[in-house]
Amino acid sequence: MFVDREIRASPITEVDANIILDKLKSVEKKVKDNPHLHDDEILQLMKESYDKFYSMITQNRISLPVGVCHGDLTFSNILFNGNNYYLIDFLDSFIESPLMDIVKIRQDSAYRWSQLMYIHDFDHIRLKLICKKIDQEIDTYYRKYGWYRDYYRIMQLMNFLRILQYAKEKKVIDYLKEVIGGILHEI
């Protein structure tokens, strides 16, 4: 699997906590600057997020595999022709870690982000079942890594906060508030 190759090519590295806190501050500024995000619930989610990041990062040394990362490994960036998979739309990430690719793929498998963007009819129940099965397989497989168990949720929180900063549509904002609130509750 692609992510397994990334892990093998990415040595465990102690990540400077300031990289993560600086990214969070940048996201927080963009959220405040976005006129579509001026509500008390979002401000509260940002405060709770900052508190979670600050307590987790200052209490622990963050050791992650760092080196190789697709950067946007979502279902919409994986093409399948019946025989082969092709990855498209590579992006830089604030931390070049395979963990970020697991976060992005689970953005679709666990939280079904891409289906929110899809405007045509589809079988919601079937897709939900398929995504749930895929997500369980991904989560079970990567639980063998301590860095995954320790940092998946907090990095998924960062992922959705990074999406929130650009949100403009009510359905997207409502979805993100629900997801971010749920993740905060799990951490």
Side-chain angles (χ1 to χ4, degrees):
M1 177 178 211
F2 178 77
V3 175
D4 287 336
R5 283 194 308 245
E6 288 182 337
I7 292 168
R8 287 191 299 273
S10 300
I12 300 296
T13 305
E14 191 170 310
V15 176
D16 182 353
N18 288 320
I19 292 170
I20 297 168
L21 292 174
D22 288 348
K23 187 61 176 177
L24 184 61
K25 289 174 187 172
S26 168
V27 167
E28 184 177 38
K29 181 186 179 326
K30 288 178 182 173
V31 166
K32 287 179 180 176
D33 290 346
N34 184 334
H36 303 282
L37 302 177
H38 292 172
D39 82 32
D40 292 339
E41 187 178 357
I42 291 174
L43 295 176
Q44 183 60 33
L45 290 172
M46 290 304 300
K47 181 192 177 317
E48 289 177 35
S49 297
Y50 188 82
D51 291 347
K52 294 285 186 182
F53 274 97
Y54 188 76
S55 67
M56 179 172 239
I57 289 170
T58 57
Q59 292 176 7
N60 297 309
R61 293 172 24 175
I62 299 173
S63 295
L64 299 173
V66 175
V68 181
C69 178
H70 177 280
D72 197 17
L73 190 61
T74 60
F75 288 172
S76 59
N77 290 330
I78 302 171
L79 304 177
F80 180 65
N81 73 356
N83 296 317
N84 296 303
Y85 294 92
Y86 300 93
L87 304 179
I88 62 170
D89 197 18
F90 288 72
L91 293 175
D92 291 335
S93 181
F94 75 102
I95 296 177
E96 296 292 327
S97 173
L99 177 59
M100 299 312 294
D101 281 345
I102 298 168
V103 162
K104 292 300 283 187
I105 199 73
R106 289 195 69 200
Q107 168 184 310
D108 279 337
S109 65
Y111 298 97
R112 296 186 300 282
W113 167 255
S114 290
Q115 87 178 38
L116 182 69
M117 303 297 119
Y118 194 73
I119 58 173
H120 301 288
D121 291 335
F122 62 93
D123 186 334
H124 290 268
I125 294 171
R126 181 175 287 172
L127 182 60
K128 182 177 180 177
L129 292 170
I130 291 167
C131 286
K132 183 177 180 180
K133 175 66 173 157
I134 291 169
D135 190 64
Q136 288 171 342
E137 295 286 328
I138 293 168
D139 185 50
T140 299
Y141 184 81
Y142 289 106
R143 284 209 164 273
K144 64 186 172 187
Y145 297 108
W147 49 263
Y148 172 82
R149 292 188 308 272
D150 293 342
Y151 301 111
Y152 165 74
R153 279 191 170 72
I154 196 79
M155 294 311 242
Q156 189 63 270
L157 175 61
M158 177 66 84
N159 178 54
F160 280 110
L161 291 170
R162 290 174 68 201
I163 295 170
L164 176 67
Q165 68 188 341
Y166 301 111
K168 293 180 175 127
E169 296 177 48
K170 181 178 176 4
K171 77 172 186 173
V172 172
I173 293 168
D174 291 345
Y175 166 87
L176 290 169
K177 287 194 292 190
E178 182 180 330
V179 167
I180 291 167
I183 295 170
L184 284 166
H185 196 49
E186 292 173 353
I187 298 177

